[in-house]
Amino acid sequence: MQTTTPATASPPQIQNAAEAIQALTEDAAGLAAKLGHLTAARQRCASKDVTSTLQHLALYREAVQTLQANTTAVIQQSAEMQQECQELYDDFGATDALAQDVHQLRKNVEKLEACLATKMKGS
């Protein structure tokens, strides 16, 4: 078997090798272009994912702040209502005490009227 060196290679073999190298170069360039497109698409998707995640985090943060503000407001209103209920309870207690005083006064008036009626009969 005889091996050929580049100096002794026949022109059709050199042309075939050149065509094969050209085909490989074109295939590599095509693959590099596809890889570039895929990489760019992946970067766009990753960028969109990051943007979407940041938007969701901002919405979440806003929702948490709103809930915290509303919770604080409800706690404050509850404390105010509790104070008002205590004041109302105290007012009811004072009203009840006043009603008892009026009842006692009415009893005293009735006793006084009875005493006066007795004295007037005796005079």
Side-chain angles (χ1 to χ4, degrees):
M1 181 174 212
Q2 185 182 18
T3 60
T4 56
T5 62
T8 61
S10 65
Q13 289 174 333
I14 293 174
Q15 186 174 350
N16 287 342
E19 288 172 357
I21 290 172
Q22 181 63 31
L24 284 174
T25 302
E26 289 172 4
D27 288 345
L31 288 174
K34 287 180 182 179
L35 180 61
H37 290 302
L38 289 174
T39 301
R42 186 190 63 71
Q43 287 173 339
R44 283 190 305 275
C45 287
S47 177
K48 287 178 183 178
D49 287 346
V50 168
T51 301
S52 178
T53 299
L54 290 174
Q55 288 172 341
H56 287 116
L57 285 173
L59 289 173
Y60 174 77
R61 186 177 305 115
E62 182 180 335
V64 167
Q65 289 171 344
T66 300
L67 285 172
Q68 287 173 336
N70 289 342
T71 300
T72 301
V74 166
I75 290 169
Q76 180 63 32
Q77 289 174 353
S78 176
E80 291 171 4
M81 286 179 65
Q82 183 179 5
Q83 180 62 34
E84 290 173 4
C85 286
Q86 183 61 47
E87 291 171 5
L88 186 60
Y89 179 78
D90 293 343
D91 289 345
F92 282 147
T95 302
D96 188 47
L98 182 60
Q100 289 176 5
D101 290 345
V102 168
H103 181 70
Q104 185 61 42
L105 182 62
R106 181 68 189 147
K107 282 184 180 180
N108 292 340
V109 168
E110 288 173 358
K111 285 181 187 178
L112 183 60
E113 286 176 344
C115 283
L116 285 173
T118 304
K119 287 223 178 220
M120 298 216 16
K121 283 185 187 177
S123 341

